[in-house]
Amino acid sequence: MKKTIPYAGFELGPIRPPSEAYSLLLRINRGCGWNKCRFCGFYRDIPFSIRSAEDIKKDIDRIKYWVDVFQGRVAQAGNPQTEGEQEACYMAYNWIQSGMKSVFFQDGNSILMNPDGMIEVLEYLKATFPQIQRITSYARSDTINRLSLERLTRYRELGLNRFHIGLETGNDYILKLMNKGVDKATQIQAGIKAKAAGIEINEFYMPNMGGREYARESALDTADVMNQVNPDFIRIRSMALAENLEMYEDYRSGMLTRPNDIETIQEIRLFIENLHGITSVVDSDHILNILLELRGKLPEGKDRMLATIDRFLEMPEDTQNIFRLGRRIGVMSNLRDLNNHILVDKVKQTMDRSGIDKTNIDAVCDQLMIRCIPI
């Protein structure tokens, strides 16, 4: 018998995609129903449970109350006292500032919720906030494939119109090594099925997951998946190798070799070069990525993205290292910053002061990347 967790107020999960920074966050489930991927530690300490439709509707009511307060439709009954009420207040205020157009369902893979319960939540959400234009969720490919096309279509009709799918790689060996729980064929089938239901697809690609040993295979197999699915968005997510991750053992034992930023960019170049016949938007919008300006719509933006990569790869090693460290310490955000002598001097001073040079910059950048993620 499942343990029922009493409603304790508005809840927020631990993470959301960068592209959902301005969305209302609603927690559908706690943790991840799979929670076995060896490269992910976000949900390791969160027991998985699916919240009831009634509790989620209460969260929606709390957001509605604070929206009405801020928009002057009701008088404020009092200052928020509990942590949950403070989060609801803060969330409602920021959602108003963003235009109240999008919602993101937390935590991992919210479509595990009972379909009738999901429909109840979607109907209530749209009735409460009819101006909503986009509702999105993380979704695992195997879960998508278990849902009927009719069910997915119904979700889309009720506003759940975008899935964030952690493809990571299209290479079956790496998927198995990382205990992803799906294979290449499953990923392709899910992407095609979701798009057939009219749901936008956002596929995450994680370069360097297969180490130096499988970089080429990963790039080519992942590009093949994208070419067959034609996702609406392809988002690049570089990997931070923290010691608390199970996959760290593969690198410690020497099974895999950690690629540096240069090798990661070379893998990304091979990936983009082999995207053919699709109209996806490619974006590098994550803090761990080295080239944030790497974005464009295919096919017309492909040559420009490759040119950006080549510009970086053709730089002298010393210049590359200045930019790499500048990105990791937050001083630089794009290659144009190398023209700013003040920023360049600041990075050089950091390198001199901390004894950073070409012999240790890979290790330094790896540690700085780890500090950027909640682990």
Side-chain angles (χ1 to χ4, degrees), residues 46 52 104 123 128 133 144 178 225 270 286 295 359:
I46 303 176
S52 70
F104 177 69
E123 289 178 337
T128 306
Q133 297 177 0
I144 294 172
M178 296 302 158
V225 174
L270 182 62
H286 195 273
R295 58 174 59 91
T359 67

Side-chain angles (χ1 to χ4, degrees), residues 90-124:
Y90 177 80
M91 180 61 62
Y93 178 81
N94 283 281
W95 195 42
I96 291 171
Q97 306 311 306
S98 70
M100 299 172 61
K101 300 297 184 183
S102 63
V103 179
F104 177 69
F105 284 172
Q106 297 176 300
D107 287 347
N109 199 26
S110 70
I111 59 173
L112 280 172
M113 186 179 192
N114 176 278
D116 291 338
M118 177 64 76
I119 288 175
E120 183 179 349
V121 168
L122 288 169
E123 289 178 337
Y124 192 79

